[in-house]
Amino acid sequence: MRRLSTTPRLFIILSLLPLLLTSMIALTPAAPVATAEEKTEANADADGSGNVGDNGGEADAGADPTGQSLQEPVYTAAPLPTVQIDGVAWGQLVVGDVVYVVGSFNSARPAGALAGQQEVPRSNILAYDLTTGELIEDFAPTLNGAGRSLALSEDGKTLYVAGEFDRVNDEWHSRLAAFDISHGHGTLISSFQPVFSTTVKDIAVAGDTLYVGGYFTKVNKQQRTRLAALKASTGELLDWTASAEGPNAQVYAIEVSPDHSKVVIGGSFSSVNGSSRPGYGMALLDASTGEVLPMPVNDTVRTAGEKAAIFDIAVDDAGFYATAYSAVGRLDEANLEGSFKADWNGNLIWLEPCHGDTYGIAPTKEIVYTVGHAHSCETIYGFPNMPEVRKDGSHPLYVRAMAFTNSPDITIRQQGVADGYQDWSTSGLKSPTIIGWYPDLEAGKVTKMSQAAYKVDVTDKYVLMVGEFIEADGKVQQGIVRYPRRAGQPTLPPEGKAENLAARAEVTTSGSVKVSFTATWDRDDPTLTYSLYRDNETTPVATEKISDTRWALNDHSLEDTTCSAGEHTYRLVVSDPSGNTITAQMPSVTVPRKADNADPANADDAAKNADQDGNNQANADDEADGSPEEKDGH
């Protein structure tokens, strides 16, 4: 409304300019696409969590992290066809373009083959081509017991294999053997014959020293309690005499610092060299003397005993990474089931406290990959305990493989702490952020523990996993799997079906058509594009990028503000960056004529009326009390 007083004609005309501009705007064609503001990492909060508002706007100051980074995963969650086994694999090692695998199995078969079909003998060890995933035929030694781990000499010419066996190719080799790989895929070195009293679980090489951890108490008939060092070239026992002790004490993991000055170990032991702080489940040792070194992280992480352990260790120049499992439920014995990173002085850098055992870990500079069965990461704003639907029905969610940022991003909170789990929120510790990468593995039953992957490794082109899983992404793939770097590779489509979107169209009081829906999620793309199409048009009338997580799928809407009167059908297309889509087709809706916002004839009439009205007002300069309503031009 505008009131006019008795004023000069010039001022009356000037006062009508906004009205005339409004009429001109009404005649301007509407844009065919209404694009919502995109979520970007630039909107992420300072803690690196990638926190954004529900509909792509910037998050309110002080808002909680979303629990999942917006960064695109480096590798896809789409498995590549890879050779299979009929049992469980415990360890793997990449040597050039060859991957060596050890475990407890009797045969191998091609990718896609069902159990019992196209099998060839392989006795607890095999090799396959890293690029093709196919079995290497000319490497088929026999181990008469399970293989547990592998290591490579520094010159790349000798492959070491450790485990539970005592014969290789019918030769006596007690829990440790060596293969010459300088002129082929591997020839057993008969002269390398150290003798261990029982199982060797892990090995690591530094120069001409081979460090060994396991369950043994004697090596070459001399006392060595679960730890030993050998001359790598001959198998001769060295005077390195660290010892790991306690009920069910075993060393599961052993690695050496890049400068060869320190050895880091993990396991179920409760003391090392008589010390339990440090020495409870982990220890840093002098690589020359075996002396226990300071390790402040062991004051924080305390996981060991008959049913708990530090299970895997990986190293880089910045420090070491470790995983933990526990079947205890008592914090005085085990307080972590996730993973952590510490520097080479033993100081904790970050702690990932997800509930559920973690078995394997593989770091890069920016990202850390883990395998296990996480069932709640709620304390770091991730998924809570929740159900999932698998082929045989609904089950508790177990996430078998995950990725995290390699940085301390999120302050651990109290929410989500369950009985029997440590409340890390009281310590002020920080965790990395979950990355939206969730390969789907179906647990196997070979070990009767219903687990999936036990070991994960990463190269510049692949993430590799081994374990007892029987399927990958719903397809037969037992024990061994590869995931490629995403460049040029297919990714998995958005999860669910069209009906899961619950898309529904309705005409609004203003005459637009609003389509409401529930978002979905993707196993290897954190952000999906939602596009709304009218009738048979190929250009969307509205789009929005949404980054909802699996555990927080929200309701959203898109709106067609340019629809003409009449009957229209709509389809909602959800797409990932690779072009995978889900399409939901909705029943037709009818837009009434009175609500027609885009009819050119109506727009012309409105403009004419506005012009005529303006002229009438300009000529009525003597009518001081008139207050006509402006036409809106729509």
Side-chain angles (χ1 to χ4, degrees):
M1 290 281 218
R2 175 176 295 129
R3 293 188 177 275
L4 298 178
S5 60
T6 305
T7 55
R9 184 180 299 271
L10 175 62
F11 289 97
I12 296 175
I13 293 173
L14 289 175
S15 69
L16 294 174
L17 283 177
L19 175 63
L20 296 174
L21 290 173
T22 301
S23 300
M24 294 173 65
I25 291 171
L27 296 174
T28 303
V33 180
T35 304
E37 182 182 20
E38 296 183 0
K39 296 179 179 180
T40 66
E41 287 197 66
N43 287 335
D45 59 357
D47 67 3
S49 66
N51 182 23
V52 295
D54 285 344
N55 291 306
E58 189 170 347
D60 294 335
D64 286 340
T66 63
Q68 178 174 285
S69 170
L70 292 182
Q71 72 180 88
E72 186 177 75
V74 178
Y75 300 84
T76 79
L80 293 174
T82 309
V83 64
Q84 305 178 77
I85 57 174
D86 66 345
V88 56
W90 293 112
Q92 61 184 344
L93 181 69
V94 179
V95 182
D97 59 357
V98 176
V99 184
Y100 294 91
V101 178
V102 292
S104 181
F105 50 87
N106 297 311
S107 66
R109 65 186 191 273
L114 298 176
Q117 298 181 1
Q118 304 179 58
E119 292 183 339
V120 295
R122 284 298 184 273
S123 297
N124 304 314
I125 186 170
L126 61 75
Y128 73 88
D129 186 284
L130 175 62
T131 303
T132 67
E134 296 178 354
L135 182 70
I136 291 175
E137 296 183 0
D138 65 357
F139 181 77
T142 60
L143 310 179
N144 72 338
R148 301 294 301 203
S149 62
L150 304 116
L152 184 68
S153 63
E154 290 210 336
D155 62 8
K157 296 180 178 180
T158 304
L159 175 72
Y160 299 96
V161 180
E164 302 169 19
F165 54 86
D166 58 21
R167 297 184 74 83
V168 181
N169 296 349
D170 283 334
E171 293 182 12
W172 179 261
H173 290 272
S174 176
R175 285 87 186 186
L176 187 62
F179 291 84
D180 180 358
I181 59 172
S182 61
H183 301 290
H185 294 118
T187 302
L188 181 65
I189 301 174
S190 297
S191 61
F192 186 86
Q193 288 185 309
V195 178
F196 290 80
S197 60
T198 189
T199 302
V200 172
K201 288 292 181 70
D202 200 16
I203 50 180
V205 177
D208 194 31
T209 302
L210 178 62
Y211 294 94
V212 185
Y215 194 46
F216 54 85
T217 54
K218 288 187 177 180
V219 182
N220 294 351
K221 298 183 179 180
Q222 297 187 46
Q223 187 72 30
R224 291 292 189 275
T225 308
R226 287 124 190 157
L227 289 163
L230 308 175
K231 192 170 184 179
S233 54
T234 65
E236 175 188 352
L237 184 65
L238 301 178
D239 292 332
W240 191 77
T241 55
S243 63
E245 297 149 341
N248 189 38
Q250 299 187 57
V251 174
Y252 286 114
I254 188 167
E255 293 289 347
V256 184
S257 62
D259 66 1
H260 296 179
S261 68
K262 298 175 181 179
V263 176
V264 57
I265 62 172
S268 58
F269 50 86
S270 54
S271 67
V272 176
N273 296 354
S275 170
S276 62
R277 195 180 288 269
Y280 190 79
M282 67 179 88
L284 266 178
L285 307 171
D286 186 287
S288 299
T289 67
E291 176 187 1
V292 174
L293 301 174
M295 194 184 201
V297 64
N298 200 202
D299 291 331
T300 302
V301 178
R302 308 284 292 173
T303 298
E306 295 189 49
K307 296 182 179 180
I310 300 298
F311 197 71
D312 190 27
I313 292 174
V315 301
D316 61 18
D317 290 338
F320 60 92
Y321 307 75
T323 65
Y325 81 87
S326 172
V328 179
R330 291 204 340 264
L331 295 178
D332 60 338
E333 188 169 342
N335 65 2
L336 182 68
E337 287 186 342
S339 61
F340 68 87
K341 177 183 180 180
D343 64 27
W344 282 113
N345 291 318
N347 298 305
L348 184 65
I349 296 175
W350 53 252
L351 183 143
E352 173 267 296
C354 292
H355 299 173
D357 296 341
T358 308
Y359 300 126
I361 191 165
T364 68
K365 184 177 180 180
E366 304 294 337
I367 300 175
V368 177
Y369 299 88
T370 64
V371 292
H373 65 247
H375 56 81
S376 173
C377 294
E378 192 174 2
T379 60
I380 57 171
Y381 302 87
F383 51 90
N385 289 307
M386 59 186 288
E388 69 167 341
V389 177
R390 303 197 68 80
K391 289 181 178 180
D392 58 348
S394 181
H395 296 270
L397 172 66
Y398 289 108
V399 179
R400 306 291 182 171
M402 296 184 68
F404 299 87
T405 58
N406 192 351
S407 53
D409 302 329
I410 297 174
T411 300
I412 302 170
R413 65 176 177 174
Q414 195 278 333
Q415 181 176 323
V417 177
D419 290 343
Y421 288 91
Q422 181 76 25
D423 182 0
W424 296 104
S425 69
T426 61
S427 63
L429 297 178
K430 288 204 168 187
S431 167
T433 305
I434 298 170
I435 291 174
W437 184 77
Y438 308 99
D440 184 31
L441 297 173
E442 183 69 26
K445 301 184 184 301
V446 174
T447 65
K448 303 187 185 305
M449 295 190 295
S450 296
Q451 301 301 329
Y454 290 111
K455 185 73 173 175
V456 58
D457 289 279
V458 59
T459 74
D460 60 342
K461 293 183 178 180
Y462 303 96
V463 172
L464 312 172
M465 299 179 198
V466 296
E468 63 173 322
F469 49 87
I470 56 175
E471 292 182 353
D473 190 35
K475 304 176 184 66
V476 174
Q477 186 63 57
Q478 188 171 0
I480 306 171
V481 71
R482 300 171 300 147
Y483 296 93
R485 201 174 187 92
R486 70 185 296 130
Q489 293 289 336
T491 61
L492 292 183
E495 286 288 305
K497 300 179 180 179
E499 53 265 32
N500 300 126
L501 298 173
R504 53 212 176 274
E506 60 180 347
V507 179
T508 69
T509 56
S510 64
S512 64
V513 175
K514 178 181 178 182
V515 171
S516 302
F517 59 92
T518 301
T520 186
W521 65 287
D522 193 297
R523 289 187 178 274
D524 50 15
D525 286 298
T527 302
L528 299 173
T529 300
Y530 294 73
S531 301
L532 180 64
Y533 293 84
R534 182 203 308 136
D535 301 327
N536 294 320
E537 295 176 9
T538 57
T539 300
V541 296
T543 64
E544 185 175 0
K545 292 183 182 294
I546 297 174
S547 301
D548 282 5
T549 60
R550 179 180 192 172
W551 56 94
L553 298 177
N554 298 307
D555 291 334
H556 300 264
S557 64
L558 293 173
E559 193 166 354
D560 179 9
T561 60
T562 63
C563 54
S564 60
E567 186 175 15
H568 298 288
T569 58
Y570 288 88
R571 65 189 187 278
L572 177 68
V573 179
V574 185
S575 59
D576 67 14
S578 296
N580 299 306
T581 62
I582 298 176
T583 300
Q585 187 74 46
M586 285 155 277
S588 62
V589 294
T590 301
V591 178
R593 169 70 63 175
K594 66 179 181 179
D596 187 350
N597 290 329
D599 191 326
N602 288 353
D604 288 343
D605 290 343
K608 291 178 181 178
N609 291 338
D611 289 341
Q612 184 62 46
D613 190 40
N615 291 334
N616 292 338
Q617 292 181 45
N619 291 328
D621 56 322
D622 293 329
E623 298 180 14
D625 295 330
S627 55
E629 294 185 3
E630 294 182 342
K631 303 294 184 181
D632 62 10
H634 291 287

